[in-house]
Amino acid sequence: RDDQQAHTHGLLLLPDAKGWQDGHTRRLADRIAVFCCCMVLVPDLLRGREPWIAAQTGADYQTWLSGQPPNRV
């Protein structure tokens, strides 16, 4: 594949509560881009807010979730 070739296909990958900066999400986006020869976009759905950290307890998740705008959850 020529590196100068324009992408003709794209995919929108929506991240989970860990956000777009999560290593697993970014690796998945990279792998999809390579295997499908397409551009993969991963938007910041949290709009700069702190992502959920998996090590936190379930009660902390509810607190984190309550701080998110209802129309965006």
Side-chain angles (χ1 to χ4, degrees):
R1 187 186 124 204
D2 182 14
D3 288 338
Q4 300 300 319
Q5 179 183 5
H7 292 285
T8 58
H9 294 87
L11 182 122
L12 183 63
L13 178 63
L14 300 177
D16 59 9
K18 295 178 187 176
W20 70 273
Q21 293 181 330
D22 179 58
H24 292 105
T25 301
R26 293 177 71 134
R27 279 191 297 278
L28 177 60
D30 290 342
R31 291 186 68 173
I32 291 171
V34 168
F35 289 115
C36 297
C37 295
C38 68
M39 179 179 291
V40 179
L41 302 174
V42 184
D44 180 10
L45 297 177
L46 300 174
R47 295 187 178 185
R49 292 184 183 86
E50 288 295 317
W52 167 249
I53 299 169
Q56 296 174 342
T57 65
D60 290 336
Y61 176 76
Q62 292 302 323
T63 302
W64 173 84
L65 187 61
S66 68
Q68 304 303 317
N71 60 339
R72 299 203 35 91
V73 177

